Amino acid sequence: MGYMNVLSLFFIQTVLLVVLVAETKAKVPAIIVFGDSSVDTGNNNVISTLLKSNFKPYGRDFEGGLPTGRFCNGRVPPDFISEAFGLKPTIPAYLDPQYSISDFATGVCFASAGTGYDNATSDVLNVIPLWKELENYKDYQNKLRAYVGHRKAREIIRESLYVMSLGTNDFLENYYSFQSTRRSQFTVRQYQDFLVGLARDFITELYRLGARKLSLNGVPPMGCLPLERATNIMGQYECLQEYNDVSMEFNGKLEGMASQLKRELPGFKMVFTSTTYDAFSQIIRNPAEY
Ligand SMILES: *[C@@H]1O[C@H](CO)[C@@H](O)[C@H](O)[C@H]1NC(C)=O
């Protein structure tokens, strides 16, 4: 399944979710987003990277046909999730100077296209590393406390839904690229374990900072992304099975780590989804949790 198909599937499922969530009294004050191009809503516009999407045809289906820095025709999944929870229809990028803490209080995106769990991945295209996304989040917390007060800020931080979506670039931009040094340091299985360790540390830190509800997204079938198929000349442009196997194995390890963390961290609610479909069926089956 192509990546854009995943997004349209996501859209259909979101429509379903809007209806279902509207019927519950879900209490989610904000959606807070970390990750890569699958969820970036414009942070890369304001950093010095070549990896930007603030030009046409990006944004073709966005309100006013505006290229916002989202890597797709219209809105990205977190925008739909936000709307589904009765919040605003688009989530502002934290680095976008058009917005301020009054906007970010009900949803904010720290994601940066091209980034990964591994510091070496964000270096490839000079984008925002994950540790820096977390630094920006800490900065956000300070601003939030100044804006709504400590008590209310603590509540927003605790009740918000955190969304994480990244990992693809660690393999495709970094591990499997020609100039990668990671391949001489790790077998692909060891590299998966290394990334899962980084994901675990990141989530534990988010928890320590007050987060309690998290949706962790795995990677799509990486062998079926358009670029991978286009370069699979020997395989007649079919999906690359090897990369799809790596995706599945990595998702399995992320999922194992997620269920372990759920047991270890008191009061922590976490959904792991390797397909968008899973995300919705989980939320739909258990709406009271959100
Ligand atoms: C990534 O870089 C940050 C900032 O230099 C550093 O604090 C962190 O330890 C690095 N992570 C790893 C796994 O090397």
Side-chain angles (χ1 to χ4, degrees):
M1 187 189 298
Y3 197 50
M4 290 323 286
N5 288 343
V6 173
L7 285 181
S8 36
L9 181 65
F10 200 100
F11 179 76
I12 294 162
Q13 296 298 329
T14 303
V15 173
L16 242 182
L17 182 68
V18 171
V19 176
L20 284 164
V21 169
E23 290 169 359
T24 70
K25 293 273 177 283
K27 187 180 156 220
V28 170
I31 309 292
I32 299 176
V33 183
F34 298 94
D36 62 17
S37 66
S38 57
V39 290
D40 185 355
T41 61
N43 286 306
N44 277 22
N45 291 348
V46 290
I47 62 169
S48 63
T49 174
L50 293 174
L51 192 62
K52 293 180 195 260
S53 59
N54 53 349
F55 49 85
K56 295 184 179 212
Y58 290 114
R60 196 170 60 194
D61 304 329
F62 202 82
E63 210 190 318
L66 209 66
T68 58
R70 286 169 173 80
F71 284 73
C72 74
N73 296 343
R75 292 186 290 164
V76 288
D79 296 321
F80 294 111
I81 294 178
S82 177
E83 188 168 45
F85 279 95
L87 299 166
K88 54 198 172 198
T90 57
I91 300 185
Y94 189 59
L95 300 183
D96 188 335
Q98 284 186 75
Y99 299 102
S100 66
I101 190 63
S102 60
D103 306 293
F104 301 140
T106 55
V108 57
C109 176
F110 298 98
S112 173
T115 203
Y117 288 107
D118 182 357
N119 282 343
T121 302
S122 49
D123 290 347
V124 175
L125 287 158
N126 196 22
V127 296
I128 305 168
L130 193 57
W131 66 265
K132 182 65 182 167
E133 290 190 21
L134 198 67
E135 287 302 306
N136 288 340
Y137 171 66
K138 290 180 192 166
D139 183 57
Y140 164 75
Q141 284 202 347
N142 289 333
K143 288 188 177 139
L144 190 64
R145 282 188 278 267
Y147 180 64
V148 297
H150 277 68
R151 203 193 153 98
K152 182 75 184 159
R154 197 158 45 236
E155 184 188 316
I156 293 173
I157 289 161
R158 188 183 60 233
E159 300 297 334
S160 287
L161 176 64
Y162 293 75
V163 175
M164 277 174 73
S165 177
L166 69 166
T168 305
N169 298 311
D170 291 305
F171 294 98
L172 300 187
E173 298 293 337
N174 184 358
Y175 189 84
Y176 284 118
S177 77
F178 290 111
Q179 71 273 27
S180 174
T181 54
R182 288 307 190 204
R183 230 168 347 155
S184 58
Q185 296 168 305
F186 299 106
T187 65
V188 72
R189 295 222 158 105
Q190 287 168 338
Y191 190 60
Q192 290 169 339
D193 295 337
F194 173 67
L195 298 179
V196 170
L198 296 174
R200 162 197 282 278
D201 292 347
F202 183 87
I203 294 167
T204 307
E205 184 62 10
L206 261 189
Y207 176 86
R208 201 188 61 74
L209 290 166
R212 290 296 178 273
K213 304 173 185 176
L214 175 74
S215 167
L216 174 66
N217 294 304
V219 294
M222 293 186 289
C224 296
L225 297 181
L227 179 66
E228 308 319 307
R229 288 183 70 163
T231 50
N232 188 15
I233 298 162
M234 300 297 286
Q236 296 175 326
Y237 310 108
E238 286 298 316
C239 295
L240 273 174
Q241 192 55 45
E242 181 195 345
Y243 286 11
N244 283 353
D245 292 345
V246 169
S247 292
M248 260 175 56
E249 202 169 56
F250 180 59
N251 283 339
K253 289 177 180 181
L254 277 178
E255 187 167 20
M257 176 274 291
S259 41
Q260 196 182 2
L261 271 188
K262 259 192 306 196
R263 285 194 302 271
E264 285 173 10
L265 304 175
F268 193 45
K269 289 170 184 160
M270 182 165 168
V271 188
F272 173 80
T273 64
S274 53
T275 66
T276 46
Y277 180 79
D278 271 331
F280 288 106
S281 43
Q282 289 255 20
I283 294 172
I284 287 164
R285 259 188 273 127
N286 223 342
E289 296 253 301
Y290 292 85

